[in-house]
Amino acid sequence: MIIVTGGAGFIGANFVHDWLAAEREEVLVIDKLTYAGNLDNLAVLRSDPRFAFAQVDICDRAEVAALLARHRPRAIVHFAAESHVDRSISGPGEFIRTNIDGTFELLEAARAQFSALDEAARAAYRFLHVSTDEVYGSLGETDPAFSETTPYAPNSPYAASKAASDHLVRAYHHTYGLPVLTTNCSNNYGPYQFPEKLIPLMILNALEGKPLPVYGDGANVRDWLYVGDHCAAIRRVLAAGRLGETYNIGGKSEMRNLEVVHAVCAVLDELRPKARSYAEQIRFVTDRPGHDRRYAIDPRKIERELRWRPAQSFEAGIRLTVQWYLDHAAWTERVRSGGYRDWIEKNYGQRLGEQTSQ
């Protein structure tokens, strides 16, 4: 079996769905169930005998070690992380605890398990750490895309905490021989994404007739990766990646934020038309502190070594995503707790008050 940390979150839950559809091995999800961890994301899997869940904080090494001893996984896929940049700016402490301390505790538990295995089990064992392109910092308009050898230059507390966890994982391979793999991905989008992130926030605000807040001039560039493609890439790295190596996973879809919002509006205009275009709801708001201008991923290493390429274009992926949110209004209502609404108001309310004209 494998263990998936953070498997009730956005990417983790999609990975669990993908894994059980494609593989035979059982999955144990461990998740603390913070605001972004949602068991609704896994509800349809509860009747699958290959699926199990444990509510555990990865910072609790004793609990994690007990699970490893009981289930004896042959791989750990580590998604568990605080991941929203804006939240890291207003409250960095939780990011340090989960992303750095939590990864350390998990590595220590995995190291103890690995050291007790026989030779055959050691040969099959893997620790796959899922990270982000934000550890590399910001690119200029004409700079080459991030590669696996790009120096780290994190610019937000979130990015710094993920960079630290990447370094810990690398160190545990070189110091202790733990068989690790690291992936650094670009911006994911797709089903089950928590509604504070750009694409689901735009979809839901548009449907409710609310402003569509775009930071600054909307010209910040991101590479967009459909979450299903990301999951397939992780499975491929887990199966055939070289130990100790990093693989950058990108969608080959660089777009300005404003272009993304217009793409969402265009799909909504087609699938849920109203008298006027949803794009008329776009409002520019005060930029967030330290907002990186451009990210871009060079995925040639994973393409060359593991023969992985994204299957979805952005045009196809954004249509699938908008349609999913239209079809899952009940999921959206359940996930949008009072705490979520308080966060949106806290983060965007004042900025909308400072908005410029479109």
Side-chain angles (χ1 to χ4, degrees), residues 263-329:
V264 168
C265 292
V267 176
L268 283 170
D269 286 340
E270 180 183 345
L271 298 181
R272 188 66 63 82
K274 61 175 189 174
R276 306 174 73 172
S277 173
Y278 291 95
E280 296 187 17
Q281 296 167 224
I282 294 172
R283 300 292 183 270
F284 294 94
V285 301
T286 305
D287 209 351
R288 72 182 180 210
H291 196 178
D292 288 340
R293 195 62 172 172
R294 173 177 169 246
Y295 303 146
I297 283 280
D298 179 352
R300 285 180 292 179
K301 179 177 178 179
I302 192 172
E303 292 177 351
R304 180 179 65 253
E305 292 190 12
L306 304 182
R307 302 183 188 281
W308 173 88
R309 286 176 174 78
Q312 299 291 349
S313 66
F314 182 80
E315 291 73 20
I318 199 65
R319 174 176 287 274
L320 289 171
T321 301
V322 171
Q323 188 65 64
W324 189 90
Y325 280 91
L326 292 175
D327 293 342
H328 291 81

Side-chain angles (χ1 to χ4, degrees), residues 160-206:
S161 68
K162 289 298 289 185
S165 67
D166 291 6
H167 291 317
L168 279 172
V169 171
R170 182 181 185 275
Y172 269 65
H173 175 67
H174 286 271
T175 302
Y176 304 113
L178 190 68
V180 308
L181 300 153
T182 297
T183 58
N184 294 82
C185 69
S186 54
N187 279 35
N188 277 221
Y189 66 100
Y192 300 112
Q193 190 167 26
F194 196 74
E196 68 187 358
K197 296 298 181 85
L198 177 66
I199 288 175
L201 179 64
M202 295 303 114
I203 295 170
L204 299 177
N205 274 18

Side-chain angles (χ1 to χ4, degrees), residues 249-269:
I249 304 171
K252 292 187 171 181
S253 297
E254 279 191 63
M255 297 183 69
R256 291 178 174 85
N257 286 347
L258 186 58
E259 293 176 304
V260 172
V261 177
H262 275 289
V264 168
C265 292
V267 176
L268 283 170
D269 286 340

